[in-house]
Amino acid sequence: MEAHEREPIVGREAELARLFRAMDSTTADTVLLLLGDVGMGKSALLDRVVRRAEAGGARVLRAEGSESESSLAFSALHQLLRPVSAEVDGLPERQRAALYGAFGAGPVTADGDLMLIGVAVLSVLSALAERGPVLVVLDDAQWLDRASVNVLSFTARRLAGEPVTMLVAAREGDHLPGFDRHLPTLALEPLDDAAAGRLLDLQLHSPTGRTRTQILDQAEGNPLALTELARAAAAAGPAAKSPSAGPLPLTAHLERIFAARLDGLPASTTRALLLLAAMDTVDSAITAPAAVQNAENEAWPPAERAGLIRRTSRGLRFSHPLARSAVYQAASLDARHEAHLALAGLLRDEPDRRAWHLAAAATRPDENVSAELERTADRARGRGGHAAAAKALQRAADLAPRTEDSARLLVEAAAEAALTGDLAWVEELATAVRARTDDASLLAEAAAQVGRLAVLTVRHSVIFSRLSDVAEELADAQPSTALNVLADAAVVRYYSGQDAQQRRIEAVLHGLHEDASHAWLRTWVRAVSNPFGDRTELLALLPQVAAEARRRPDRLTAYAVMAWLLDETPQAVRAFDEAFDRWGLRGALPEGLGGAAAWSYVEQGRWGRAREACARSSAVGSMTGLDHAVACAAAVDATVLAYQGDPAAARARADEALVLIDPLESRSVSVFTRRALGAAALAEGAHETAYDQLRAVFTADGLPVHYHASYPALADLAAAAVRADQHAEAHAIVERAARTLAAGASPRLRALINRARGLLADPEEAEPHFRAALADPVLEHWPFERAQTMLDLAEWLRRRRRIAEARVPLTEALETFRRLGARPWIERARAESRAAGLDVTDADPDALAELSPQQQQIIRLASRGLTNREIGEKLFLSPRTVSSHLYRSFPKLGITARAQLRDLIEGSLATDNHRD
């Protein structure tokens, strides 16, 4: 056992017990965040947990963050998975290729995005967990490279049900994307006086008297400070001055203490330590000794005796990050440059590491080093390491001799930084561009990158003002770029829903010179910001937009969004299908207008595909820290869960959405979420609650809170109003909406308005409204809404004792609800069918109704012949989790084998030819 591992843990008994409990995945949290300031003992606690886990037979995977590797994409993930390369080799081809592409050990494939890499890591951990418990330890996580953090946070959120525990240690106050919200957290507080005293008593030379008091005062309960100040006092001798002299910050003081240990060390040791400090990588135990000409035997022991380094099973390590910092800062600038040059010479086969060492050694602009960093950025970009690419380009810009090259590189850095979700960084880079150039095209591109990311944040009012100002400023000199920026502003307008923003967009658009090449973007701006205001004209332009999408497939998603906004859902779904089939659900940022794809699938009754889109958007939004994207996905998901008859889960998802946004800043998500909560209440028969939620999507005056998202709630509002005795108020809202929309109403909205009128009308006057709501054959593309209207008509007919007429719509409605898996509506239609004298059985057709919505998804995918791994890739679950859901589902379905699933699905909730 290594000496440092025999040291007792003093004053951390409760914290250690909590960490031990975390290893028991059946009784504790799967992921635990350990936070503490420098020297509070995070690593010591993790070491103790690791030893206990290994002694108990658990498989331990560990990665340590490193400042010098934070710019190398996936370096931490590579460190974590290197010991289990056999499991990586056993992955399915796409997952294996994605991982090796990320590590630079194979070609970067089209599938090599962060999501697939995350699924691959989940599969590796799941495979290991089949043989026993797994402990994943991430130490100094604040220094992990961003690409690894994104993948590991994605994985962490999907470990439920797996015998895998993840412990993540980071410094207090450091931002750790993906790990800093709603995670169980254990914070290390300073030791109390009694524990601090016990720790001093355990030191080789325990301080006494005034020195002891001063150490206790200076250390303020920091364990590292206590031990190091005691060691420094003992080394100084009885005549030494107080070790706490001067009001130095604790960290600076400790660095001085570590640096003092360099005094008297051999030159070879000092040089070896500097090389180790400059590298500080998992390869440093090999590289640094080689750099001092095999002088390991004479170089390292003095450093060990000085308490600067320690030998571990993972090689040479500094005794503490402050020791590394002290060694590096104590060296002269020339010595540091020489160390980095020496390491660059040893890393000729590691071009990315070499480039960064050359950059660290550069004292002035250097075209060659700048070019090396640009190539590093290209490699990182290809592997999906956008943060690493942005850092490399930013440093390349610093080293570029020519100002125009520097500005160009900064713009490219901004484009990569935008894909990380870090708006402050993108704005910083855009500011640097403005400081280095007056080139209008570069300035415009920098502004566009800010806009690209800004639209996905929750700061809608501020961002809209910035984007519209930029568009106005560029209108004369750069009309094309101005229109691009205005296109982003239109998206913000959609999210925000503020009418004043629409007037500003119209003013800027009117001031832009019309050009045939700008037709696409002008159509986008108009469709996104006011789809029902000019719907007839926009519909006439839609074929031209579709033709442009065929010529430029990268615009398929945008075309799909426009079709959805105009209630041309069939066109939207076909375009989304084509886009996803061509590229898959990939990309570093959420696709299109948040939730558009998922809403299209919801409207067409493809609820499984909708939830897949929600899972993707939520995962990407979480990985990039974009709360608004996560909220959009949660709102759609909540709606599907309500329709499927899981109101508790629907409310939980709706609450997640509302926590992430300001309802006055993001009216779209607020309205979508209220609609979901209304649907959940209707599913439970809580009609007054449903009315309150749905009433909230219209203002006190009856105007829509959101110009697009509010209108589809009209029919559900009327349904709730009928049972909550709110006929008059609901009638006023419906009629005002009808007048406002007028000719701009789509066939779908006209049908919803007619259904609402039928529900609210006097019984003798309802039938024409219901018939009108069902008249247009195109309404079959909104099966759930059509089935609701058919059920309303059937109920009205039965109450008029027109039983024979009621049976036809009743039968069709029940069949649709069964096909969709809309459990509350199935029950309501069954009850009505029995009252109409229809023979309705409770046998197999509703077998899936006993399953959760997620289990239903898994069953449907399994019935199509997909393997557990393939299902996991679609739903972002581990194969083990998929297997567990299937195991629990089979008894509820009355089957014993996977082969029986296809017959079960075809015999009960048969889907149409387009269902996923």
Side-chain angles (χ1 to χ4, degrees):
M1 184 181 294
E2 298 168 17
H4 76 282
E5 293 179 343
R6 291 194 298 267
E7 295 174 359
I9 302 293
V10 176
R12 298 291 190 214
E13 292 79 10
E15 291 88 345
L16 190 59
R18 172 76 187 281
L19 290 170
F20 286 163
R21 287 197 303 273
M23 292 170 55
D24 182 0
S25 60
T26 63
T27 62
D29 301 303
T30 302
V31 183
L32 182 63
L33 189 59
L34 180 64
L35 298 179
D37 289 333
V38 175
M40 296 301 276
K42 300 183 294 296
S43 296
L45 287 170
L46 291 180
D47 286 342
R48 188 63 58 87
V49 175
V50 165
R51 292 202 308 279
R52 184 177 184 269
E54 289 175 336
R59 183 60 184 264
V60 177
L61 301 178
R62 187 167 187 170
E64 295 180 7
S66 162
E67 284 181 287
S68 62
E69 293 203 4
S70 62
S71 300
L72 299 175
F74 299 108
S75 56
L77 191 62
H78 180 257
Q79 184 186 160
L80 189 78
L81 297 184
R82 187 168 57 174
V84 289
S85 57
E87 279 72 16
V88 173
D89 288 338
L91 289 171
E93 174 59 29
R94 290 177 66 245
Q95 295 181 28
R96 182 173 66 251
L99 264 183
Y100 279 129
F103 296 156
V108 178
T109 67
D111 290 325
D113 70 312
L114 290 179
M115 307 303 297
L116 188 59
I117 294 168
V119 171
V121 174
L122 195 60
S123 295
V124 168
L125 295 180
S126 182
L128 291 170
E130 295 204 359
R131 301 195 289 271
V134 177
L135 175 64
V136 177
V137 175
L138 307 177
D139 199 2
D140 281 327
Q142 72 278 356
W143 288 331
L144 298 178
D145 66 278
R146 179 61 183 271
S148 294
V149 169
N150 286 342
V151 169
L152 291 168
S153 64
F154 167 91
T155 305
R157 287 188 292 274
R158 287 157 181 82
L159 291 177
E162 301 280 355
V164 179
T165 302
M166 183 179 289
L167 302 180
V168 185
R171 289 186 180 178
E172 186 78 51
D174 282 313
H175 179 60
L176 198 59
F179 284 107
D180 52 2
R181 181 184 290 115
H182 308 314
L183 274 183
T185 301
L186 176 61
L188 296 184
E189 303 295 337
L191 299 180
D192 59 29
D193 290 344
R198 291 201 307 275
L199 184 58
L200 286 182
D201 290 339
L202 292 170
Q203 302 310 301
L204 182 61
H205 300 286
S206 178
T208 59
R210 184 169 179 269
T211 299
R212 183 185 182 92
T213 301
Q214 289 171 330
I215 290 174
L216 288 169
D217 290 342
Q218 173 79 26
E220 296 182 337
N222 184 294
L224 179 68
L226 287 162
T227 57
E228 295 305 321
L229 290 173
R231 182 168 182 162
K241 295 181 179 179
S242 165
S244 60
L248 292 172
L250 182 61
T251 299
H253 194 165
L254 286 176
E255 283 187 356
R256 289 192 179 189
I257 290 173
F258 281 116
R261 298 181 190 174
L262 294 168
D263 295 343
L265 291 179
S268 61
T269 299
T270 302
R271 183 165 183 263
L273 284 170
L274 180 56
L275 287 167
L276 188 63
M279 174 64 81
D280 195 26
T281 171
V282 293
D283 299 323
S284 58
I286 300 171
T287 306
V292 293
Q293 299 175 347
N294 298 319
E296 179 178 0
N297 290 338
E298 65 182 51
W300 299 118
E304 288 184 83
R305 289 192 293 272
L308 291 167
I309 65 167
R310 54 188 172 89
R311 295 178 187 273
T312 72
S313 57
R314 292 170 285 119
L316 286 170
R317 291 289 186 272
F318 278 102
S319 57
H320 192 273
L322 286 177
R324 173 191 179 253
S325 177
V327 167
Y328 192 80
Q329 297 301 327
S332 67
L333 196 59
D334 287 342
R336 290 185 220 164
H337 292 163
E338 288 176 8
H340 284 294
L341 283 174
L343 290 168
L346 290 166
L347 292 167
R348 296 188 183 280
D349 294 331
E350 297 278 350
D352 295 334
R353 297 178 191 275
R354 169 183 163 80
W356 278 107
H357 283 297
L358 289 173
T363 58
R364 60 181 64 87
D366 187 311
E367 185 173 7
N368 292 329
V369 177
S370 180
E372 289 267 9
L373 285 169
E374 194 170 357
R375 287 189 285 273
T376 285
D378 287 340
R379 288 188 289 271
R381 181 190 292 117
R383 299 196 300 272
H386 301 293
K391 288 181 181 180
L393 288 165
Q394 187 173 12
R395 182 64 176 132
D398 293 338
L399 294 173
R402 291 183 293 276
T403 304
E404 59 271 25
D405 288 336
S406 178
R408 172 186 60 81
L409 290 165
L410 284 170
V411 169
E412 291 183 23
E416 292 301 311
L419 297 174
T420 71
D422 191 336
L423 181 59
W425 189 10
V426 179
E427 290 176 327
E428 172 194 328
L429 292 164
T431 300
V433 173
R434 290 193 291 272
R436 299 189 194 190
T437 186
D438 56 4
D439 184 299
S441 62
L442 288 176
L443 291 172
E445 179 61 23
Q449 293 304 331
V450 173
R452 180 188 184 192
L453 179 58
V455 300
L456 296 170
T457 71
V458 295
R459 299 161 49 191
H460 300 313
S461 296
V462 172
I463 296 303
F464 180 85
S465 179
R466 289 185 189 176
L467 293 175
S468 53
D469 286 348
V470 170
E472 205 165 46
E473 291 168 8
L474 296 172
D476 293 329
Q478 296 283 330
S480 178
T481 304
L483 196 53
N484 269 295
V485 174
L486 193 63
D488 288 331
V491 176
V492 178
R493 143 72 172 161
Y494 184 89
Y495 289 148
S496 173
Q498 295 184 28
D499 292 335
Q501 295 177 351
Q502 171 60 20
R503 293 189 287 273
R504 180 78 189 278
I505 286 174
E506 289 175 348
V508 176
L509 193 63
H510 182 74
L512 282 168
H513 174 70
E514 290 208 34
D515 187 306
S517 64
H518 297 163
W520 167 276
L521 280 175
R522 294 183 76 94
T523 305
W524 168 268
V525 171
R526 293 171 60 193
V528 171
S529 61
N530 191 18
F532 300 133
D534 299 311
R535 184 173 183 274
T536 301
E537 186 177 344
L538 289 168
L539 278 180
L541 293 171
L542 208 54
Q544 179 182 343
V545 173
E548 178 74 7
R550 285 191 292 272
R551 289 192 298 271
R552 296 214 17 210
D554 58 306
R555 289 184 168 176
L556 264 174
T557 300
Y559 159 58
V561 169
M562 284 187 265
W564 170 70
L565 289 166
L566 294 169
D567 269 342
E568 294 296 311
T569 302
Q571 293 185 53
V573 167
R574 284 194 295 271
F576 278 126
D577 279 347
E578 185 178 348
F580 295 160
D581 289 344
R582 185 174 302 213
W583 297 302
L585 285 170
R586 292 192 295 272
L589 294 178
E591 298 90 353
L593 199 69
W599 277 120
S600 297
Y601 291 127
V602 170
E603 290 167 12
Q604 201 169 67
R606 298 172 64 182
W607 295 349
R609 185 66 175 254
R611 296 204 70 204
E612 288 176 31
C614 288
R616 164 71 191 194
S617 185
S618 182
V620 173
S622 296
M623 290 169 77
T624 49
L626 297 172
D627 289 348
H628 196 265
V630 178
C632 287
V636 187
D637 210 27
T639 302
V640 177
L641 288 165
Y643 290 167
Q644 291 177 325
D646 194 344
R651 282 191 293 271
R653 290 292 275 151
D655 289 344
E656 290 175 32
L658 291 174
V659 164
L660 295 173
I661 56 106
D662 178 343
L664 296 179
E665 279 283 292
S666 185
R667 289 169 174 81
S668 61
V669 174
S670 176
V671 166
F672 284 134
T673 305
R674 295 297 173 192
R675 282 170 49 186
L677 290 169
L682 284 173
E684 293 179 309
H687 299 108
E688 291 185 0
T689 300
Y691 183 79
D692 290 342
Q693 293 291 352
L694 295 166
R695 179 63 182 83
V697 308
F698 295 90
T699 68
D701 295 334
L703 290 170
V705 169
H706 189 274
Y707 62 94
H708 178 263
S710 290
Y711 288 123
L714 287 168
D716 281 347
L717 173 72
V722 168
R723 293 168 176 81
D725 196 22
Q726 296 287 347
H727 287 71
E729 186 176 50
H731 180 269
I733 292 172
V734 170
E735 294 308 318
R736 181 161 192 170
R739 291 193 301 273
T740 301
L741 287 167
S746 64
R748 177 202 179 196
L749 288 182
R750 286 198 296 272
L752 290 171
I753 289 171
N754 279 318
R755 180 190 169 213
R757 284 170 167 166
L759 288 165
L760 295 168
D762 290 335
E764 294 75 15
E765 301 172 358
E767 184 175 9
H769 299 301
F770 289 136
R771 298 290 184 188
L774 295 168
D776 194 334
V778 75
L779 299 173
E780 293 181 359
H781 293 293
W782 291 269
F784 182 59
E785 292 172 3
R786 186 170 183 272
Q788 287 176 302
T789 305
M790 295 177 75
L791 180 56
D792 291 333
L793 173 61
E795 289 176 336
W796 183 88
L797 289 169
R798 187 184 63 79
R799 292 190 183 102
R800 307 277 81 71
R801 299 188 182 279
R802 294 160 62 179
I803 305 298
E805 291 179 72
R807 289 171 179 170
V808 175
L810 263 178
T811 301
E812 189 173 343
L814 179 56
E815 180 184 347
T816 299
F817 293 141
R818 281 174 165 168
R819 188 177 74 241
L820 296 174
R823 285 183 284 184
W825 294 89
I826 292 171
E827 293 306 316
R828 181 177 157 191
R830 274 178 176 165
E832 190 65 26
S833 296
R834 293 190 188 98
L838 290 171
D839 183 15
V840 181
T841 64
D842 295 332
D844 291 341
D846 294 316
L848 292 184
E850 298 302 317
L851 306 181
S852 71
Q854 185 173 68
Q855 287 172 336
Q856 290 183 33
Q857 276 185 286
I858 291 170
I859 289 294
R860 288 193 178 100
L861 292 171
S863 74
R864 290 165 43 198
L866 274 67
T867 66
N868 289 358
R869 289 187 184 278
E870 290 168 337
I871 296 170
E873 283 188 19
K874 275 187 168 291
L875 303 182
F876 310 111
L877 301 171
S878 73
R880 183 187 180 94
T881 299
V882 173
S883 176
S884 176
H885 278 301
L886 287 171
Y887 178 79
R888 292 197 298 270
S889 299
F890 280 14
K892 297 178 183 178
L893 297 173
I895 62 174
T896 57
R898 201 181 188 106
Q900 298 172 270
L901 286 174
R902 181 178 294 277
D903 291 340
L904 174 78
I905 297 298
E906 290 178 352
S908 55
L909 299 178
T911 59
D912 58 36
N913 292 333
H914 298 291
R915 181 174 292 282
D916 302 307

